[in-house]
Amino acid sequence: MHISCLSIRNFRNFKSAQLHFRKGINTIIGENGSGKTNLFFSLRILIDNTLPRYFKFYQTDFNRVLDSWAGHWIIISITFDGLDTSEEAQALAIQSSGHMETATQGSYSVYFRPKYQFRKELYEYSQVEGKDSAGLKLLLDKLAIEDYETVYLCRSTADFSIDDIYKKYVGDFDKIEFPDPDDKEELIFGTWLPKEINIHNELSCTFIKALRDVESDLRSYSSNPLISLLRGKEKTVEITKQHEIIESIDQLNEQISSLDEVMEVKNGIDKSIKETVGTTYAPNIDIKSELPNEMEKLFQSLKLWIGDPDEDGHKGRISELSLGGANIIYLSLKLLEYEKVKTDRIANFLLVEEPEAHVHTHIQKTLFNNLKENKTQVIVSTHSTHISSVSNISQVNILSRGDKEAQIFYPSKGLDKDEIIRIERYLDAVRSNLLFAKGVVLVEGDAEQILIPEMFKKVFGLSLDEIGVSLINIGSTGFENVARIFHPDRVRKNCSILTDDDTSIVTLPADPKTDTEYQAHCRASEKSGKERKLRLTDFCKGNTYIKPIYAKYTFEVDFLMNSNSYEFANCLDSIYKQGAAIDKAKEKLENKSVEIAGVEVLRIAGKHGKGWLALLVAEQLVYNTFIPKYILEAIAFAAAHINISSKAKAVLHRIKHIQEHDGNSLQEKAKDFDVKDKSHEEIVSAFIADFKNDQLTTFLAFL
């Protein structure tokens, strides 16, 4: 049995959420504050016996999107798949109407709702002919959190994360329509568990939180998985060996107790007590060694001793381990315990919060790859790209921060097996950060990967990371293989595809047969560019989360021809040793004709490598390096979420650098630009009005 779905309504930062899980390993990834901890807590309320059986919710547990919490319900529901035929599992089973066969799907839910009397009042008011919002508010204002109840039910068939379901069976606060609580609707809400079945006794759940000190758990009798693994093993020890061990311990206890040093202390205590209270009332004193002489207790006294793999021959107590090492030991023991000992439970669950807090990169990846146990469902939360890079996207849920509520994305929804495999092969630890970003720009080469983030930072004073945009170099992988993740059914984040039209930079003759070798190469590139454009246009059609944006020629040429010859010319000293070669190359790069300047920059890039040339150019970027408009458009599409504070920061950066550069025609206007006592909105609006031709204004217009 495993959890296949978690539905959450109105709990903390989840307004209406549904997450999907599979058997085995599942990953929850998301930025800080996206709700990973709240998600785990939702699960634990239902299945973790370390939390109170009837959990107490508070006003602050209601989602803040609600105008008022009064009258609303918090609903958390788990759907189980793969139920076996046991009575305990079938108690959760959702029985199909009219069928008595064994069910394989079940559910368990918690409802935090107004008590019956208040729900009855809401229903009765909804039947009043002159009902209105003012009257409803007067009724809701009487409701206190003490008027709520916590109810646990099984076999629910409703998904209350769906608005229409919630409004029908909980209430429509806008239309003032509420159901009659006397209509039990057991098929919808579920039924009580049989009295003889306690769900917490039928399954196991361990939560390993981030920064957890598991050393105390490894010392605890009740929670130490080593003790659980050893429990009962004493019964399999041969009787003769048991007698030998117990006899030797009895002798050892006697030897310790009869030591002169021990006897001296015993006699001293005995004398002191008798002198204090007299011989009539003084108890008789002795000191005895009590090393356990029962096999069960002897096994309980066993402790793990750990040796560092780099220090052969040395082993120490668990307390000598780093916190990360202790967590690895604990996690491994817990999995073994579930697989070998707790086989009588209908399900085992291991919830691991941010293992990257203690476990370094290589162990993260190895650990995650090797968690392939069959009897335990593992759910890991992370914001580590190293863990997410080895996660199957079919077993990933992505959380993203929204306005007072979490957004949830399923990157594999609707994709076929081959499409999923291609994406998973691509997502290494570098590229998988696209799953965490608020927006993504896909590029196809090293030069774009190096230069675009650098020029954006230099010109606008903002890093792409700062505004939540990941720029990903897809290399030789087709754009479609990755971009298909961004879709209304999957990850609802903007993704720009930044590529080239590859228009020929030289004039091509009408007859291809007369092409020179260089012209033939340009013609072939131009043809490929047109075919790529048609393919991408068709691929993106109808999907508002993907936007293909094209350079006219190719990246280096378009960057150069946008008045950026200065940056390339300043690199020539690092490319050529002879002054004549430098002068010749500079003259060509500064030519206004693409047939001269474009050919030259591609010649240099082809000779020394595009990535290498991009590194040199990156060192020459200045505040007024001109970012081509197609790049601004691509970043703006990916950064549609950018906030006013970031916009204002970019404005202040531009103003500062315009003020500092003599000879700039806008210098005086920049010096007169007043930001005192202005809000961020006012600063941005004033900049747009005063600097209509600045490239920041162009970028803001694209937004």
Side-chain angles (χ1 to χ4, degrees), residues 18-21 27-29 395-399 408-410:
Q18 189 180 85
L19 297 101
H20 299 281
F21 303 102
T27 313
I28 308 295
I29 69 176
Q395 293 175 265
V396 167
N397 288 268
I398 299 175
L399 299 187
I408 301 169
F409 308 130
Y410 322 107

Side-chain angles (χ1 to χ4, degrees), residues 369-524:
N369 270 323
N370 291 336
L371 287 179
K372 305 295 183 184
E373 308 298 342
N374 296 318
K375 299 173 184 176
T376 304
Q377 186 177 25
V378 182
I379 302 176
V380 177
S381 75
T382 182
H383 47 63
S384 164
T385 57
H386 298 290
I387 288 182
S388 63
S389 69
V390 292
S391 302
N392 297 327
I393 64 164
S394 57
Q395 293 175 265
V396 167
N397 288 268
I398 299 175
L399 299 187
S400 181
R401 288 194 300 181
D403 184 13
K404 299 178 184 176
E405 63 175 306
Q407 296 180 346
I408 301 169
F409 308 130
Y410 322 107
S412 66
K413 186 176 180 181
L415 298 180
D416 62 39
K417 185 177 180 181
D418 289 340
E419 291 171 331
I420 291 172
I421 290 173
R422 283 195 292 268
I423 294 170
E424 289 173 347
R425 285 174 178 167
Y426 177 80
L427 293 180
D428 60 19
V430 176
R431 298 175 181 128
S432 65
N433 66 34
L434 65 86
L435 298 175
F436 297 86
K438 290 183 177 294
V440 172
V441 179
L442 299 181
V443 299
E444 58 181 307
D446 294 338
E448 294 96 322
Q449 182 183 14
I450 293 166
L451 269 177
I452 291 176
E454 288 297 322
M455 70 172 76
F456 193 83
K457 174 72 173 177
K458 196 74 174 182
V459 173
F460 295 145
L462 297 170
S463 69
L464 293 183
D465 288 335
E466 185 178 351
I467 61 173
V469 172
S470 285
L471 187 139
I472 307 295
N473 178 6
I474 67 155
S476 59
T477 303
F479 285 111
E480 297 94 328
N481 290 334
V482 178
R484 69 180 73 254
I485 291 177
F486 302 96
H487 186 276
D489 294 336
R490 292 183 279 279
V491 179
R492 297 183 297 279
K493 299 179 183 181
N494 284 0
C495 172
S496 301
I497 297 176
L498 198 58
T499 186
D500 306 325
D501 263 353
D502 282 326
T503 301
S504 176
I505 59 175
V506 298
T507 302
L508 299 176
D511 185 2
K513 294 179 180 178
T514 63
D515 283 350
T516 64
E517 183 178 351
Y518 194 86
Q519 288 170 334
H521 172 76
C522 289
R523 190 185 296 275

Side-chain angles (χ1 to χ4, degrees), residues 8-31:
I8 309 174
R9 185 80 193 203
N10 295 334
F11 182 61
R12 297 187 178 174
N13 69 324
F14 294 103
K15 174 67 170 60
S16 54
Q18 189 180 85
L19 297 101
H20 299 281
F21 303 102
R22 296 195 179 189
K23 186 178 180 181
I25 312 298
N26 296 266
T27 313
I28 308 295
I29 69 176
E31 60 197 302

Side-chain angles (χ1 to χ4, degrees), residues 632-633 636 688 692 694-703:
L632 292 180
E633 183 182 1
I688 292 172
K692 292 183 175 63
D694 192 87
Q695 52 185 321
L696 177 56
T697 301
T698 302
F699 175 70
L700 295 174
F702 280 128
L703 287 170

Side-chain angles (χ1 to χ4, degrees), residues 87-232:
E87 179 184 357
E88 294 80 9
Q90 289 299 305
L92 301 169
I94 300 170
Q95 301 289 347
S96 301
S97 178
H99 296 275
M100 297 303 293
E101 74 275 10
T102 299
T104 60
Q105 189 175 80
S107 73
Y108 190 47
S109 307
V110 59
Y111 301 90
F112 186 61
R113 65 188 185 186
K115 293 177 181 176
Y116 168 83
Q117 186 57 44
F118 194 87
R119 284 184 281 132
K120 190 69 174 178
E121 289 182 42
L122 283 173
Y123 165 70
E124 291 172 348
Y125 183 72
S126 70
Q127 304 305 303
V128 173
E129 187 173 340
K131 64 184 180 182
D132 58 24
S133 58
L136 177 62
K137 185 176 184 304
L138 287 174
L139 183 58
L140 294 174
D141 284 347
K142 298 191 305 180
L143 187 64
I145 203 70
E146 289 75 19
D147 298 317
Y148 271 72
E149 63 181 2
T150 302
V151 179
Y152 291 81
L153 300 175
C154 61
R155 298 186 173 187
S156 166
T157 60
D159 179 7
F160 289 96
S161 68
I162 300 172
D163 286 343
D164 289 343
I165 301 279
Y166 184 81
K167 290 177 180 179
K168 181 177 180 179
Y169 295 104
V170 172
D172 189 325
F173 288 74
D174 295 324
K175 295 181 179 179
I176 315 179
E177 296 176 353
F178 296 92
D180 187 348
D182 288 326
D183 296 335
K184 299 298 184 182
E185 297 287 3
E186 290 187 343
L187 187 63
I188 299 299
F189 294 111
T191 59
W192 301 93
L193 271 171
K195 291 183 179 180
E196 67 274 12
I197 294 178
N198 181 339
I199 190 67
H200 287 149
N201 294 337
E202 308 306 333
L203 52 81
S204 298
C205 174
T206 298
F207 173 56
I208 303 178
K209 68 179 181 179
L211 301 177
R212 172 173 178 168
D213 183 357
V214 301
E215 185 187 337
S216 59
D217 288 329
L218 290 170
R219 291 196 304 263
S220 167
Y221 175 78
S222 60
S223 61
N224 187 348
L226 176 63
I227 290 178
S228 179
L229 288 165
L230 290 169
R231 191 169 289 126

Side-chain angles (χ1 to χ4, degrees), residues 254-314:
E254 182 64 31
Q255 289 175 353
I256 294 172
S257 301
S258 61
L259 288 171
D260 291 343
E261 290 80 1
V262 175
M263 296 298 295
E264 180 182 347
V265 172
K266 184 207 79 167
N267 293 333
I269 295 172
D270 185 61
K271 180 181 179 183
S272 177
I273 292 175
K274 288 179 178 177
E275 289 177 348
T276 303
V277 300
T279 57
T280 301
Y281 297 102
N284 295 319
I285 298 299
D286 203 351
I287 297 176
K288 289 185 176 292
S289 172
E290 291 187 353
L291 295 176
N293 62 356
E294 299 175 17
M295 290 303 298
E296 182 180 2
K297 291 181 178 179
L298 284 171
F299 271 67
Q300 291 170 13
S301 70
L302 293 173
K303 304 290 187 237
L304 276 175
W305 279 56
I306 311 296
D308 191 294
D310 297 325
E311 297 182 27
D312 190 29
H314 171 75

